[in-house]
Amino acid sequence: MRIPYRPLALALLTLSFAAIVLDRAQAGDSHFFAPVTDPVVKEECGSCHLAFAPSMLPASSWQRMMGELDNHFGDNASVDAATAEKITRYLVANAGDAGGKRYSSKLLKGVAVGSAPQRITELPRWVREHRKVPDWEWRHKDVRTKANCAACHTDAEQGYYDE
Amino acid sequence: MKNRFAVTLGIAAMAVSTAILAGPREDLLAQYATTAKSAGFSAARGETLHTQNFSGGKPDTPSCTSCHGKDARSAGKTLTGKVIKPLAVSMTPTRYTDPAKVEKWFKRNCTEVLGRECTPQEKGDWLTFALGQ
């Protein structure tokens, strides 16, 4: 019997490469932000836009946002009190300066402690990462708004923000 | 034996279909009818509500179709790029089975489009339209 060494070696190589990439991503490289897994948060915060990863903002941001849902960037996103409490608990526990710290060390750089930024798209680091994106691209009909992450980052729902 | 099985199956199927007939959607319609003191709902009026352009709400979303698209059997998209499953029950069977969800979105979306909440009559008309899609 001939053992197909070459394909085997290739497969092994691919596997170990995938492992390295995955490992890097999970270890807090700026490409990966653990996506929302809680079904209630996914439903309530993921129907108008992508359910933004809780690690992309500090806990103080989520607390403030959850207190002002009736005027959420001009929309009424309010939910009943019990649901709001549940969502807040999840977002705060996984926030970028709490449980989600290892994903956000870079993204939250330069954000003053205690400030509660409401937009990911206004974080200094986010602005810097996107400074090369040309104006027409933001205005493209399939993008329309900076908050439409998935238009450019096709795996944003899975938490990946490679190009 | 085989016959008896068929009969049982038939009864089970009937039980299921009555359960659907008296399901949450019908409860919702009945509730709208009572509050509206309505003489009945019209899918045609519902369709007009769905496709009409209003000026009282947000300029970006003059119509229900701004997000839900022109065809209730096709997917829609919010302005922030999130895909919305088709409104038609024939395409998305779970639609309108959670009254709290229906009410929540009527409130949000009517305010967004009309600049006010929809009346029970309007909701009943619209739901009748959507259920027929």
Side-chain angles (χ1 to χ4, degrees):
Chain A
M1 192 180 120
R2 261 190 76 223
I3 300 172
Y5 284 110
R6 261 175 61 108
L8 253 177
L10 260 174
L12 269 174
L13 204 78
T14 319
L15 263 178
S16 58
F17 182 69
I20 291 169
V21 170
L22 202 70
D23 199 53
R24 271 221 339 246
Q26 313 259 318
D29 172 272
S30 55
H31 297 283
F32 181 73
F33 296 82
V36 169
T37 49
D38 184 287
V40 176
V41 181
K42 249 193 204 162
E43 163 87 16
E44 298 297 344
C45 306
S47 41
C48 294
H49 46 61
L50 171 88
F52 297 112
S55 60
M56 289 190 166
L57 289 173
S60 51
S61 298
W62 296 123
Q63 269 153 344
R64 183 175 142 205
M65 189 176 295
M66 291 304 295
E68 304 169 346
L69 279 186
D70 55 339
N71 185 7
H72 178 75
F73 304 92
D75 273 22
N76 186 345
S78 51
V79 293
D80 64 76
T83 309
E85 203 190 304
K86 191 169 184 297
I87 296 172
T88 310
R89 227 181 301 130
Y90 179 86
L91 294 174
V92 165
N94 295 288
D97 54 353
K101 209 172 195 153
R102 65 200 156 117
Y103 307 116
S104 63
S105 49
K106 282 195 186 138
L107 186 61
L108 291 187
K109 224 176 237 164
V111 175
V113 180
S115 70
Q118 295 297 285
R119 280 191 184 271
I120 298 158
T121 55
E122 282 172 6
L123 298 173
R125 176 81 192 193
W126 191 97
V127 174
R128 216 158 57 110
E129 291 281 3
H130 294 86
R131 69 185 182 277
K132 287 196 198 124
V133 179
D135 215 35
W136 64 263
E137 214 167 301
W138 294 124
R139 283 198 311 258
H140 191 279
K141 67 171 176 35
D142 291 332
V143 180
R144 294 196 54 152
T145 155
K146 292 178 178 168
N148 187 0
C149 319
C152 304
H153 303 284
T154 45
D155 294 326
E157 290 275 2
Q158 284 76 46
Y160 292 97
Y161 289 85
D162 313 83
E163 220 177 330
Chain B
M1 194 55 203
K2 215 172 168 186
N3 258 339
R4 188 128 52 93
F5 181 66
V7 169
T8 321
L9 214 78
I11 292 174
M14 262 160 64
V16 169
S17 64
T18 355
I20 288 173
L21 272 177
R25 294 174 184 140
E26 290 65 28
D27 287 352
L28 257 175
L29 278 176
Q31 193 190 317
Y32 293 145
T34 315
T35 12
K37 299 192 180 64
S38 171
F41 294 128
S42 141
R45 274 199 308 262
E47 181 164 16
T48 306
L49 172 68
H50 188 66
T51 52
Q52 189 183 341
N53 274 327
F54 293 88
S55 53
K58 291 199 194 149
D60 279 352
T61 51
S63 163
C64 305
T65 57
S66 309
C67 292
H68 289 294
K70 292 215 162 56
D71 180 2
R73 291 189 199 87
S74 304
K77 202 178 194 182
T78 66
L79 301 188
T80 357
K82 184 83 192 186
V83 170
I84 310 175
K85 292 198 190 110
L87 288 172
V89 176
S90 58
M91 303 303 293
T92 316
T94 50
R95 284 267 178 236
Y96 322 115
T97 49
D98 175 356
K101 177 176 176 180
V102 177
E103 277 294 295
K104 179 177 75 189
W105 286 104
F106 265 137
K107 187 168 171 205
R108 279 182 188 160
N109 294 341
C110 289
T111 313
E112 187 96 7
V113 172
L114 289 79
R116 61 164 174 85
E117 287 193 33
C118 287
T119 64
Q121 178 71 44
E122 285 168 330
K123 294 184 206 174
D125 288 340
W126 189 91
L127 196 55
T128 305
F129 155 71
L131 290 177
Q133 291 297 300

